[in-house]
Amino acid sequence: MSGIFSAAAWQKVWIYRATFLHGLATTVETAVLAILLALIIGIVLGLFATGQNRLLKAIARVYVEFVQNTPVMLQLCFLYYALAFSGNSIGIIPTGIVELGIYHGAYMAEVIRAGIEAIPKGQSEAARSQGFGYFGEMYYIILPQSIKIILPPMVNQVVNLIKNTSCLYIIGGTDLISLTYSFVTGATTGGAYGPAYLVSGVLFFVICFPLSKLASTWEARLKQRDQRVIVAGRGSTDQGRGMENA
């Protein structure tokens, strides 16, 4: 790591800064598309898991348990080589997008399931009494109330997904980590290990830290608001009791 203090190494990184910016752009693009896929999978499976159909609930449970209990890197390698050997390769980046979407979709599903189940069952009963079907109940009644519960952990999953784009290195992607490795091992650019990996770390930090901070701040504010509501509710109850006693 002594290369961190090498002026020549830092100069080399600066000269080839476009390589790191290209890797960052690919990482962000991959993450955005994978997040959209993960959200779709998460919403579908979250609804399956909280519905009344036993078969759909079983499908959601099996998917979540299998995906969460196997390494994302193993899943990525299996998907990439399975498609390649079958003659249906879709490319490294698209494979990464699909796999990250599949993997984090399982976690998104659990976040959405937990958010839906946190809403009192009386809300569902009231919706059904008003003639709402399942999807109408979810769209108009349950999901709008569960958003405040779902969003903070969902942002954390977005952060994890961004960091997991580094797994594309194993199949030779053009993401930030892959290009950094190519840079430090290149015939003309090799050797600047410390500065190169430090720059990559800083770039990941610049993206992930604000999102992590947003999630923690958001969650803290929601807890404070809920606490204020509880206190206000107790105050009105005590006031009502006081008037009755008077």
Side-chain angles (χ1 to χ4, degrees), residues 55-111:
L55 176 60
L56 296 182
K57 292 180 76 170
I59 290 173
R61 192 73 255 150
V62 170
Y63 180 96
V64 168
E65 293 296 341
F66 178 80
V67 170
Q68 288 189 349
N69 291 287
T70 52
V72 61
M73 193 170 294
L74 174 64
Q75 296 174 28
L76 178 61
C77 289
F78 176 82
L79 180 62
Y80 177 73
Y81 289 110
L83 291 173
F85 288 133
S86 66
N88 298 307
S89 177
I90 58 176
I92 294 173
I93 297 301
T95 301
I97 292 170
V98 171
E99 172 49 36
L100 291 174
I102 290 172
Y103 182 76
H104 286 278
Y107 289 90
M108 293 286 193
E110 284 294 272
V111 169

Side-chain angles (χ1 to χ4, degrees), residues 75-229:
Q75 296 174 28
L76 178 61
C77 289
F78 176 82
L79 180 62
Y80 177 73
Y81 289 110
L83 291 173
F85 288 133
S86 66
N88 298 307
S89 177
I90 58 176
I92 294 173
I93 297 301
T95 301
I97 292 170
V98 171
E99 172 49 36
L100 291 174
I102 290 172
Y103 182 76
H104 286 278
Y107 289 90
M108 293 286 193
E110 284 294 272
V111 169
I112 292 171
R113 178 193 61 78
I116 291 174
E117 291 181 347
I119 303 302
K121 292 187 180 298
Q123 296 290 321
S124 296
E125 295 170 358
R128 286 193 290 270
S129 70
Q130 295 298 316
F132 284 98
Y134 176 72
F135 291 104
E137 169 194 334
M138 286 295 164
Y139 184 79
Y140 291 105
I141 308 297
I142 304 301
L143 288 179
Q145 296 183 71
S146 65
I147 286 178
K148 69 176 184 179
I149 303 170
I150 290 171
L151 283 178
M154 189 172 286
V155 174
N156 285 327
Q157 283 304 313
V158 169
V159 173
N160 290 334
L161 189 153
I162 293 171
K163 291 186 290 186
N164 279 339
T165 58
S166 60
C167 292
L168 269 66
Y169 152 75
I170 199 69
I171 57 174
T174 55
D175 60 289
L176 180 56
I177 294 298
S178 299
L179 290 185
T180 300
Y181 176 77
S182 298
F183 174 83
V184 300
T185 57
T188 58
T189 59
Y193 292 94
Y197 282 117
L198 183 59
V199 167
S200 292
V202 169
L203 292 175
F204 269 108
F205 181 83
V206 167
I207 298 174
C208 295
F209 177 74
L211 292 174
S212 297
K213 194 66 176 176
L214 172 64
S216 60
T217 302
W218 205 339
E219 190 170 9
R221 286 180 178 176
L222 289 174
K223 288 181 179 179
Q224 290 174 359
R225 188 175 68 180
D226 291 342
Q227 188 64 31
R228 287 196 297 268
V229 171

